[in-house]
Amino acid sequence: MTGTVLVTGATGTLGREVVRLLVARGVAVRGLSRRARAAGAGVEWVVGDLVTGEGIATAVAGVETVVDCATTQGKKDVAALGRLVAQAREAGVRHLVYVSIVGIDRVPVAYYRAKLGCERVLEESGLGWTVLRATQFHDLLLKAFDLSAKLPVFPVVSGALIQPVEVREVAEHVAELVGREPAGFAPEVGGPRVRSYRELAEAYLRASGRRRLLLPLRIPGALGRSLRAGGLTAPERAVGRGTFEEALARRFR
């Protein structure tokens, strides 16, 4: 049996899908939000902030499993997770599921170094934990391409390889981990195939009906080499089914 599950980042791109799936499975879900929300649709909402620590003790009280989908997109993530871990340990939480990113140990980006720091916090936490790494969401690429489409030319990262995945499929894997025993590092989740950034940009422009001159951008140094070598991909874990074209069709229908 699965007791109450706390989902942090419950209103975000992934968190919303995780909450939806858990509720559909009859799980008692508590969602953490920085703003007050009316209870409904099987979710108990608690106001709290991982960055400041406000409300976290209340959020984890009586919880069996925590699913951490929250991110500040920066160094604050490590301290925020440390606060969550400390309160979860105090409350007797059995299992903390953390959603991370494929390639953070290969691609030298500050945000990825912070995510690695978060994984280390879990490893040293004394809690039962599971880390699920996933490749880039379709939604993230769409946001990046939306911004690029506003420019006179459309920048594309030369040679970069991407393996985009449907967020709902990642949420399915997260939901499956809830109620299971802590597993350490779970098998990674990647999209159906590895593709070039340029190929995906061209698909976006076709689907959106826009015409833009593509401007190749060659990223120098270790970062560029890692992106061209597929550092953000997991071809051996191409378990996703939804394609980027299907995401585009939903977006521009």
Side-chain angles (χ1 to χ4, degrees):
M1 295 293 290
T2 299
T4 299
V5 176
L6 172 68
V7 180
T8 72
T11 61
T13 301
L14 176 62
R16 287 195 304 269
E17 292 298 326
V18 171
V19 167
R20 180 184 63 81
L21 285 171
L22 292 177
V23 169
R25 297 179 183 197
V27 175
V29 177
R30 183 179 296 166
L32 183 67
S33 174
R34 288 194 296 268
R35 299 177 182 84
R37 295 176 180 272
V43 182
E44 173 198 359
W45 290 100
V46 176
V47 176
D49 190 326
L50 293 176
V51 174
T52 65
E54 179 184 0
I56 305 307
T58 300
V60 298
V63 164
E64 181 174 326
T65 302
V66 174
V67 178
D68 188 16
C69 300
T71 180
T72 65
Q73 298 291 323
K75 295 180 180 179
K76 293 180 180 179
D77 273 357
V78 179
L81 182 59
R83 292 186 187 93
L84 178 62
V85 162
Q87 294 292 349
R89 191 167 50 233
E90 184 77 15
V93 169
R94 184 186 69 84
H95 188 187
L96 199 156
V97 179
Y98 181 73
V99 183
S100 191
I101 305 169
V102 165
I104 57 174
D105 49 352
R106 298 189 294 264
V107 179
V109 174
Y111 176 54
Y112 292 169
R113 287 194 290 272
K115 298 294 280 188
L116 273 175
C118 288
E119 292 182 357
R120 285 194 290 271
V121 167
L122 279 181
E123 291 180 84
E124 299 168 1
S125 67
L127 292 172
W129 57 272
T130 302
V131 168
L132 178 68
R133 289 183 177 182
T135 55
Q136 313 300 311
F137 298 157
H138 292 147
D139 304 65
L140 179 64
L141 276 179
L142 288 171
K143 289 177 182 177
F145 290 159
D146 285 344
L147 290 174
S148 295
K150 295 177 181 178
L151 303 174
V153 293
F154 197 107
V156 293
V157 183
S158 298
L161 298 175
I162 309 289
Q163 190 180 351
V165 67
E166 178 58 46
V167 65
R168 293 181 182 180
E169 294 178 347
V170 177
E172 289 172 1
H173 285 267
V174 173
E176 287 297 323
L177 294 172
V178 172
R180 292 185 181 179
E181 290 301 308
F185 285 93
E188 295 178 336
V189 177
R193 63 190 181 98
V194 176
R195 307 175 70 175
S196 72
Y197 191 95
R198 184 185 184 98
E199 178 188 0
L200 294 165
E202 290 172 342
Y204 171 90
L205 290 173
R206 285 194 302 271
S208 64
R210 295 183 173 98
R211 288 190 176 186
R212 293 291 188 278
L213 176 65
L214 297 180
L215 176 65
L217 292 179
R218 185 172 178 83
I219 305 298
L223 175 57
R225 289 193 297 272
S226 62
L227 293 175
R228 293 188 290 274
L232 291 176
T233 68
E236 71 286 354
R237 288 294 300 162
V239 296
R241 302 174 302 278
T243 67
F244 188 58
E245 280 73 15
E246 289 170 341
L248 289 170
R250 290 193 300 271
R251 172 69 184 280
F252 295 111
R253 59 187 173 193

